[in-house]
Amino acid sequence: MKDIPAFERIWRLVAEVPRGRVATYGQIARMAGLVNGARTVGWALRALPDRHRVKGRPVPWHRVINAQGAISLRGREGGGEASRQAAGLRREGVVLLTGGRVDLRRYRWGGRRRPS
């Protein structure tokens, strides 16, 4: 997977996060082979084209949260994106705690199920 551009690697990994689970920016960065690359994951998700698909399915960007289990605001439009992200997680059965946090012990994705 190393020969694939970083953003595409990130998008492919995020596409593997199952419905009803979350991953952290740092977790995706480590899986992508990006040391200290949590911000790069954020940039990749911010740059994700609206219609981009991996294996025919949209990339579930809303399943990536910060290391504290919270939704991270993105740029000037962070409030609207945060609401969309929270709504997407709730639709999948993820319970948001006070302050919009996710219980990582309960909902964190354990990792890849298959090699790429």
Side-chain angles (χ1 to χ4, degrees), residues 6 11 13 22 27 33 49 60-63 69-70 72-73 75 78 88 97 102 104 106 108-110 115:
W11 297 335
L13 286 165
V22 297
Q27 178 182 355
W61 60 269
H62 65 282
R63 296 178 187 157
S72 293
L73 299 179
L97 305 171
V102 173
L104 289 173
R106 181 174 180 188
R108 186 192 302 250
W109 175 46

Side-chain angles (χ1 to χ4, degrees), residues 6-53:
F7 279 20
E8 186 64 33
R9 279 197 323 262
I10 290 165
W11 297 335
R12 288 180 185 190
L13 286 165
V14 171
E16 292 182 25
V17 179
R19 182 177 182 82
R21 296 285 180 209
V22 297
T24 66
Y25 294 100
Q27 178 182 355
I28 296 295
R30 285 187 300 278
M31 292 171 68
L34 302 169
V35 177
N36 298 320
R39 286 187 183 188
T40 302
V41 172
W43 296 329
L45 294 178
R46 182 76 174 139
L48 179 67
D50 287 336
R51 303 273 185 233
H52 189 77
R53 295 183 173 279

Side-chain angles (χ1 to χ4, degrees), residues 29-110:
R30 285 187 300 278
M31 292 171 68
L34 302 169
V35 177
N36 298 320
R39 286 187 183 188
T40 302
V41 172
W43 296 329
L45 294 178
R46 182 76 174 139
L48 179 67
D50 287 336
R51 303 273 185 233
H52 189 77
R53 295 183 173 279
V54 171
K55 296 185 180 179
R57 298 173 63 194
V59 177
W61 60 269
H62 65 282
R63 296 178 187 157
V64 182
I65 60 177
N66 70 29
Q68 288 74 45
I71 292 170
S72 293
L73 299 179
R74 296 182 174 105
R76 292 182 301 244
E77 301 169 26
E81 289 293 315
S83 295
R84 280 183 49 212
Q85 187 170 9
L89 291 171
R90 283 189 192 104
R91 268 192 310 275
E92 295 182 2
V94 175
V95 175
L96 298 180
L97 305 171
T98 305
R101 294 193 186 284
V102 173
D103 181 350
L104 289 173
R105 291 173 299 182
R106 181 174 180 188
Y107 294 106
R108 186 192 302 250
W109 175 46

